Amino acid sequence: MALPVLICDDSLLARKQVRKSLPESFDADILTAGNGVEALAILRSQEIGLVFLDLTMPELDGIGVLEAIKQDGLDCFVIVISADIQPEMQKRVTELGALAFVHKPVNPEKLVVILKQYGLI
Amino acid sequence: MSTVFSEEQRDCLQELINVAMGLASDKLARFLNTFVHLQVPAIELVNSAQIPAQFEARYSNTEAALVSQGFLGNDGLRGEAIVLYQLDNAHRIAALLGYDTDSASELEMLTDISSILTTTFLNGLADQIDNSLSYSAPRVLSSRQNNVSEALQETAFHWELALKVDISYQLVDHSFNCDMLLLIPGEAVLNIQKILERILEEY
Amino acid sequence: MSEDWLTGPVLEQLNSGVLVVDEQLQLVYLNSFLQRHSSVQLSDVKGKSLFQVFTDVPEAWLRRKFASVLELQSPSFSSWEQRQYIIKLPHLRPVTSSSQYMAQNCTMLPLKDPAGRRYVCLLIEDATDAFVYQQHLQTTLQKLELSNRIDGLTQALNRRYWEEQLKLEVQRAQRYQQPLSLLLFDLDKFKQLNDQYGHLGGDCVLIELTARVRVLLRDTDWFGRYGGEEFGIVLTNTALAGALEVAERVCLAVNSTAVTFHDQSIATSVSIGVAQLDAVGDRAHEVLIGQADIALYNAKRDGRNRVVVFSAGETEFLLKAN
């Protein structure tokens, strides 16, 4: 059965880049959101297994989404995909429950390693 | 902006710039041994003629520095990066960079700071589009004595389009704000559009 | 890659210095330009610390520059205008240039070898020509500035510059509460003199007069040509009594000896008005000129070749006369 996946990024290019970086063997139903508010609306209304989450976004940023997921006890894995790649930021999102942290621009090979690591493919 | 770049192109450019800022901030953070709060740089494509007026208000009452550095890459990518910032801001970042004002002249400090900001950022941009840039030595167009908008007027005159990137570096206990202007001549704008189109086709 | 053979010879013949150091700032490479200019052989210095070989480079400064290049992997620059040179080298204009060392524009570039090891390349461009031009330009500007202040004929200060100095001295005297006096004087019957001896004769008298007056003054006094045959002297830190003394000497110096022009003796004299600063405010210097001018007018009216001191009350006379 396909895994319901949400790609959340304010940039259309970034959403496309993530989608294209996913291996063909990855069976997913992909939804997209352009900011944190949209993402939370989707997460609260339907079952999502995995979220690819950008950090710097208008309306509600990635940190806000992570906090809301934690607070609401939403059941999903989050892989943060961010341009802010400082170690401090990585530590912060991991503390907020993110599964992994991927640098922008996304490197497909690294993404595959992470997906394999968590048995998602 | 939409008159020159399509919405998709604009989005693409913004994303490239966000990532470039991220790369630059990471390097700066490691170099300065501090954390840099990254803010999404607002980009705007403006007619060069409008620039002096846009900056006059912000920099007219303070002592500001204006430093220019040319850049040149493959695929007809070229232009001039102009960094504007307030001098009292500069002294804070100079202290972080380990300058004591006795040993280094102020001009040298100004060119070093803006060169670091410009080249780390533009290198991050070039990396993403499989390009590489070479740079001219930075040149101070105006510091405390001169009028910022006059200096801008003289420079902006020769360029058709300017990509205005509002950059704000917020360090843990210092804030450093600057404006970066990428002044790009007409045919280079077309070349940038080609590069953006190529990226968009890939995805 | 078939052009690989080019790189070596070009690097060796380049008219710029190329120096490469590793992360420990130990020398890896110097091209011929640098080896020749610094009288150093690459084979002797390879692997040595840059600072051991070039002992007079600004070490702390250069370390900081190189650290930023290595850490940020982005170039750094140094211009001769801010730092004339990094490595002291002789230049190729030993005869025609006054500067002792090569002025340098330097670029520091990050490099990586195929194994990923990091290096810094220091490019040194000879900017001595630009440096020399800049020095010429500055000398010329200084001359120009001087000629902007000087009256071409008499070599006294010109009116514009003299008035500027008067204004500044008046402000200074007011601030420090020091006395200041002004002499205004006219060459008597200058029109007749010109008619009789020609303009060259007139000019000759003006030149001679200026020379005679100049030797009577201190370095701190300002002597200017105010108009055609009218001159002014600002006497700093001088009260009326002292000013009167100077004025009498000027009067005597001009009148005691005739001026010789083409074997003719031209007897001349001056009339002098003296005033001491007593006005306050922004326009004090104008008031002072007006007062000295009134005294000068009185000196002429009283029969010329004399000194008259301004005294209050004469203004009223003048007002009535008008």
Side-chain angles (χ1 to χ4, degrees):
Chain A
M1 202 190 99
L3 180 71
V5 170
L6 175 65
I7 300 175
C8 177
D9 197 305
D10 56 323
S11 161
L12 176 64
L13 176 75
R15 296 198 294 269
K16 284 183 178 171
Q17 280 174 326
V18 174
R19 192 190 281 256
K20 195 137 186 238
S21 304
L22 297 172
E24 279 182 26
S25 58
F26 186 54
D27 185 14
D29 276 339
I30 295 173
L31 295 168
T32 57
N35 62 50
V37 174
E38 281 178 37
L40 279 182
I42 293 171
L43 287 172
R44 284 175 179 142
S45 64
Q46 52 187 289
E47 286 275 310
I48 297 288
L50 177 63
V51 184
F52 291 105
L53 182 66
D54 181 27
L55 288 181
T56 41
M57 289 183 294
E59 306 287 330
L60 181 67
D61 65 12
I63 297 291
V65 174
L66 280 170
E67 282 167 351
I69 288 175
K70 203 171 180 183
Q71 205 170 6
D72 295 10
L74 296 170
D75 194 18
C76 60
F77 294 119
V78 179
I79 294 177
V80 167
I81 297 184
S82 172
D84 192 347
I85 57 178
Q86 297 172 77
E88 283 270 340
M89 189 49 96
Q90 304 193 23
K91 199 171 141 229
R92 198 161 161 209
V93 300
T94 318
E95 279 167 6
L96 281 169
L99 201 61
F101 188 94
V102 178
H103 295 183
K104 277 186 180 180
V106 181
N107 176 327
E109 286 92 51
K110 282 189 183 158
L111 198 58
V112 169
V113 171
I114 289 166
L115 291 174
K116 275 192 181 151
Q117 204 178 352
Y118 292 99
L120 295 165
I121 46 172
Chain B
M1 159 148 203
S2 50
T3 54
V4 188
F5 279 44
S6 71
E7 186 48 39
E8 272 198 322
Q9 287 171 342
R10 199 207 66 85
D11 172 81
C12 182
L13 188 60
Q14 174 80 58
E15 182 63 11
L16 291 174
I17 283 174
N18 290 358
V19 173
M21 271 301 291
L23 293 168
S25 302
D26 183 51
K27 276 186 175 174
L28 275 182
R30 286 168 202 267
F31 185 57
L32 301 175
N33 212 3
T34 181
F35 180 68
V36 179
H37 291 278
L38 188 62
Q39 285 169 334
V40 180
I43 67 167
E44 196 185 343
L45 274 170
V46 288
N47 186 326
S48 296
Q50 300 169 313
I51 288 176
Q54 287 198 349
F55 285 98
E56 181 142 36
R58 190 182 316 189
Y59 291 99
S60 64
N61 291 322
T62 57
E63 291 185 323
L66 198 156
V67 184
S68 150
Q69 196 163 15
F71 58 90
L72 177 66
N74 302 321
D75 303 330
L77 183 63
R78 73 184 182 97
E80 194 172 338
I82 295 198
V83 179
L84 288 107
Y85 52 88
Q86 296 177 356
L87 282 185
D88 54 347
N89 251 329
H91 290 121
R92 275 181 249 146
I93 205 166
L96 275 177
L97 284 169
Y99 282 94
D100 59 81
T101 36
D102 300 334
S103 71
S105 75
E106 181 168 276
L107 279 183
E108 188 169 356
M109 180 189 86
L110 297 180
T111 50
D112 274 6
I113 291 173
S114 55
S115 178
I116 284 174
L117 296 175
T118 304
T119 57
T120 50
F121 170 70
L122 287 178
N123 280 349
L125 197 60
D127 282 350
Q128 296 176 73
I129 54 176
D130 296 322
N131 213 314
S132 72
L133 297 173
S134 47
Y135 302 92
S136 71
R139 194 162 56 88
V140 176
L141 297 181
S142 102
S143 65
R144 53 182 81 242
Q145 313 84 341
N146 315 66
N147 181 314
V148 166
S149 79
E150 249 173 54
L152 268 175
Q153 222 145 19
E154 284 166 20
T155 312
F157 181 74
H158 303 283
W159 305 86
E160 275 136 70
L161 195 76
L163 174 61
K164 196 174 125 210
V165 185
D166 243 318
I167 292 179
S168 169
Y169 284 105
Q170 181 91 37
L171 310 174
V172 167
D173 43 355
H174 312 266
S175 79
F176 178 76
N177 273 283
C178 67
D179 285 293
M180 190 182 289
L181 282 168
L182 302 178
L183 298 175
I184 299 157
E187 94 273 14
V189 173
L190 297 177
N191 294 327
I192 289 175
Q193 280 182 308
K194 276 187 215 150
I195 292 168
L196 294 176
E197 274 309 307
R198 200 177 64 215
I199 294 169
L200 287 168
E201 273 167 31
E202 278 175 39
Y203 295 102
Chain C
M1 288 314 235
S2 58
E3 288 89 8
D4 274 359
W5 63 272
L6 277 172
T7 327
V10 169
L11 210 51
E12 288 312 300
Q13 286 170 55
L14 201 62
N15 240 338
S16 298
V18 181
L19 176 153
V20 179
V21 290
D22 61 17
E23 280 188 271
Q24 282 72 47
L25 309 190
Q26 286 165 345
L27 286 165
V28 172
Y29 177 76
L30 291 175
N31 72 342
S32 297
F33 178 92
L34 264 185
Q35 295 184 52
R36 285 179 194 149
H37 276 82
S38 57
S39 309
V40 160
Q41 290 296 313
L42 177 57
S43 51
D44 296 339
V45 297
K46 204 167 179 169
K48 284 192 186 166
S49 159
L50 167 68
F51 305 107
Q52 240 182 312
V53 178
F54 299 103
T55 49
D56 42 19
V57 297
E59 179 167 346
W61 177 85
L62 204 56
R63 278 188 187 279
R64 190 175 59 217
K65 285 275 198 185
F66 282 5
S68 94
V69 173
L70 284 165
E71 182 76 40
L72 299 170
Q73 286 292 297
S74 62
S76 190
F77 301 86
S78 169
S79 153
W80 64 268
E81 288 174 282
Q82 290 145 25
R83 193 172 287 267
Q84 197 192 334
Y85 49 80
I86 293 181
I87 299 180
K88 266 189 197 174
L89 301 172
H91 56 70
L92 297 177
R93 302 261 185 282
V95 185
T96 56
S97 147
S98 58
S99 76
Q100 202 178 349
Y101 299 107
M102 179 193 295
Q104 300 163 2
N105 277 333
C106 296
T107 309
M108 285 146 262
L109 296 166
L111 290 182
K112 269 186 197 165
D113 69 8
R117 282 184 295 257
R118 295 172 168 201
Y119 300 87
V120 180
C121 172
L122 173 65
L123 287 176
I124 301 177
E125 288 170 71
D126 185 349
T128 307
D129 285 347
F131 176 77
V132 170
Y133 290 140
Q134 173 86 355
Q135 284 194 322
H136 284 177
L137 184 66
Q138 266 168 5
T139 323
T140 311
L141 285 175
Q142 275 165 7
K143 279 188 197 155
L144 196 65
E145 182 161 340
L146 192 67
S147 74
N148 241 342
R149 297 175 179 179
I150 298 288
D151 170 56
L153 179 70
T154 62
Q155 303 297 305
L157 300 172
N158 63 30
R159 175 170 178 163
R160 186 187 51 77
Y161 186 71
W162 181 81
E163 273 192 315
E164 275 170 24
Q165 298 313 308
L166 170 65
K167 207 171 164 179
L168 290 174
E169 290 295 355
V170 165
Q171 285 168 1
R172 203 167 296 151
Q174 287 173 329
R175 195 177 327 131
Y176 299 111
Q177 309 226 318
Q178 288 170 344
L180 179 134
S181 297
L182 176 67
L183 269 54
L184 280 185
F185 62 90
D186 250 8
L187 188 61
D188 293 329
K189 301 197 169 167
F190 186 58
K191 194 181 172 305
Q192 285 178 22
L193 196 149
N194 268 331
D195 291 346
Q196 195 175 342
Y197 300 98
H199 284 284
L200 288 178
D203 287 352
C204 176
V205 171
L206 289 175
I207 293 166
E208 176 65 22
L209 176 154
T210 318
R212 287 186 198 177
V213 171
R214 190 177 292 118
V215 296
L216 301 173
L217 302 177
R218 302 166 298 181
D219 287 346
T220 49
D221 299 329
W222 300 97
F223 178 29
R225 187 173 177 197
Y226 195 69
E229 75 283 20
E230 196 174 356
F231 295 84
I233 301 171
V234 182
L235 297 168
T236 56
N237 210 359
T238 305
L240 204 54
L244 186 59
E245 209 174 297
V246 175
E248 295 289 2
R249 267 189 259 150
V250 168
C251 214
L252 190 67
V254 175
N255 191 236
S256 58
T257 321
V259 177
T260 310
F261 173 69
H262 287 182
D263 299 331
Q264 302 174 80
S265 278
I266 308 175
T268 59
S269 66
V270 289
S271 304
I272 305 183
V274 184
Q276 183 182 345
L277 175 68
D278 64 352
V280 289
D282 289 345
R283 313 196 75 87
H285 65 286
E286 289 172 15
V287 174
L288 181 62
I289 288 180
Q291 292 174 340
D293 211 20
I294 288 165
L296 171 58
Y297 174 84
N298 285 335
K300 290 191 172 243
R301 208 172 53 123
D302 293 351
R304 300 193 175 84
N305 192 20
R306 69 193 62 229
V307 178
V308 171
V309 172
F310 170 79
S311 64
E314 285 170 35
T315 330
E316 269 104 278
F317 145 76
L318 207 73
L319 286 173
K320 276 175 209 154
N322 284 342

